[in-house]
Amino acid sequence: DNISMGSAVFEIGSILGAKGSTKAKRMQNGKGTLYARVEQAKSCGTLKLKMSGVKLANLDGFFNKSDPFYEFSKKENGLRGTEWNVVHRSSYIKDNLNPNWEMDNIDLGLLCLGNLDERVVLTIFDHEGDGKHELMGEIETSVNGLIAAKRTGKGFTLKRKGKNMGTIVVLTAEVCDGEGEDDLPPTKAMSNVRITPTAPPLPQPPIATGRSVGRPAFTDYVRGGCEINLCVAIDFTGSNGDPRKPGTLHYIHPDGQLNDYEKAIKSVGSVLTKYDQDQKFPVVGFGAKYGGVVRHCFQCGPQEEVDGVNGILAAYRQT
């Protein structure tokens, strides 16, 4: 049976609000740290890929042979700035310097966000049982580079510290849209059926062949470095009723029950505060009358900025 090494709980909002949409947490009941990264899911199809190695350098001495496997890494903006992260790993082939890896179907959204010219690093390792896999060599290419290598039949020369470590040959490299036969549009699924038209055919929209560019989503702004600063403004106008009377919107319950304003602050604030990196929030009020003067904007609580949702609630109650 598998043995649990530990766990950690992440909130999606707090990850998106962190630098590089990446957050780290120490594992509970275990040793080590888990890193979580959030990206918007994009349907970009898959890369159908099959590769082999030719005369790879042996790193296991005279009596054994290396057990090669490969990894793909892409460049991302993470917790430590720009970094190369592994997005796909193949199975390893034991004792073989001319490995013929199995066919892989790789998600293009994960590999290159659908950009077929995006740089990726292909790294070959010698598998070790203790997890300290030994580098055999690497190359830099792209999905289009893999497709071109299959078309021309020219292999990639594997390099490590400038030394030739063998050749990687691309046997299959095809971009698929991921649609199965059951998912095909009617015009494709019924392409072998002849129907006599009773009216002139409608013009068909052009089929997009490149990467679609739509309107930026919320996650695109956050991942692009947009910082959200939450400011809270509370309505103290007379329409809320006398705050000293039970049942009015600003009435503070002596038993700790939340009034309507506190419920709104807690509900909305618990979502929005996740995207604010410094967790410092100004809280102001408007429409209150004290000292014989109607105040159109005034500070709530003794501090200009408060910490978290609990700080917002405390500033509200102290006003």
Side-chain angles (χ1 to χ4, degrees):
D1 293 339
N2 296 327
I3 301 175
S4 175
M5 298 177 64
S7 62
V9 178
F10 294 87
E11 292 183 345
I12 298 297
S14 62
I15 300 174
L16 281 172
K19 181 180 179 181
S21 298
T22 306
K23 199 171 181 67
K25 275 193 175 183
R26 295 285 298 177
M27 288 195 296
Q28 300 174 1
N29 304 322
K31 296 181 179 180
T33 303
L34 290 178
Y35 290 84
R37 177 182 174 84
V38 172
E39 284 188 351
Q40 182 183 7
K42 296 184 179 180
S43 178
C44 304
T46 59
L47 172 66
K48 190 176 182 180
L49 180 68
K50 182 174 177 60
M51 299 190 299
S52 65
V54 179
K55 296 182 179 179
L56 301 184
N58 187 22
L59 304 182
D60 280 353
F62 293 104
F63 302 103
N64 296 297
K65 293 181 180 179
S66 295
D67 312 317
F69 69 92
Y70 64 83
E71 290 181 347
F72 278 108
S73 302
K74 72 173 180 180
K75 184 180 289 186
E76 296 178 321
N77 292 319
L79 193 64
R80 296 176 292 274
T82 302
E83 55 192 17
W84 289 91
N85 292 322
V86 177
V87 294
H88 179 79
R89 175 180 292 175
S90 75
S91 57
Y92 70 92
I93 299 180
K94 192 170 181 62
D95 297 329
N96 198 326
L97 301 181
N98 296 282
N100 189 14
W101 288 289
E102 296 179 354
M103 183 80 73
D104 269 333
N105 291 295
I106 306 173
D107 186 339
L108 287 174
L110 187 62
L111 181 63
C112 59
L113 293 177
N115 182 357
L116 304 187
D117 293 314
E118 182 75 20
R119 290 188 304 157
V120 295
V121 171
L122 171 62
T123 310
I124 312 298
F125 286 98
D126 178 13
H127 183 273
E128 301 295 342
D130 60 2
K132 298 179 180 178
H133 311 305
E134 191 170 357
L135 176 66
M136 299 182 71
E138 62 183 17
I139 59 173
E140 190 173 298
T141 184
S142 65
V143 173
N144 275 335
L146 294 168
I147 295 172
K150 165 61 177 70
R151 185 175 61 251
T152 62
K154 184 178 180 181
F156 293 101
T157 300
L158 195 63
K159 295 284 188 178
R160 187 182 74 166
K161 297 181 179 179
K163 184 178 178 181
N164 189 338
M165 302 294 286
T167 303
I168 301 299
V169 177
V170 181
L171 303 177
T172 302
E174 300 175 2
V175 172
C176 307
D177 59 10
E179 290 182 333
E181 188 172 318
D182 294 339
D183 299 324
L184 291 175
T187 53
K188 291 184 180 180
M190 301 180 65
S191 58
N192 62 335
V193 179
R194 286 186 171 274
I195 301 175
T196 302
T198 58
L202 295 174
Q204 296 295 319
I207 299 175
T209 57
R211 183 184 178 188
S212 60
V213 180
R215 298 177 65 180
F218 173 71
T219 52
D220 294 322
Y221 285 105
V222 175
R223 290 181 60 246
C226 178
E227 295 185 7
I228 296 177
N229 296 314
L230 175 63
C231 301
V232 180
I234 302 172
D235 180 4
F236 285 96
T237 57
S239 60
N240 292 287
D242 189 338
R244 295 167 295 184
K245 295 181 179 179
T248 57
L249 298 180
H250 282 302
Y251 178 71
I252 303 298
H253 297 272
D255 60 359
Q257 179 183 346
L258 301 181
N259 64 29
D260 289 342
Y261 272 92
E262 290 172 316
K263 290 177 183 178
I265 290 171
K266 190 169 184 179
S267 298
V268 178
S270 61
V271 175
L272 297 181
T273 54
K274 299 293 192 304
Y275 302 100
D276 192 302
Q277 292 187 8
D278 64 4
Q279 293 292 295
K280 298 287 186 181
F281 310 109
V283 184
V284 298
F286 62 92
K289 183 177 181 180
Y290 58 92
V293 179
V294 176
R295 312 287 177 171
H296 297 292
C297 186
F298 56 90
Q299 177 181 303
C300 293
Q303 298 175 321
E304 291 185 1
E305 291 184 319
V306 299
D307 299 322
V309 175
N310 289 335
I312 297 172
L313 291 172
Y316 166 71
R317 290 167 184 159
Q318 294 170 14
T319 301

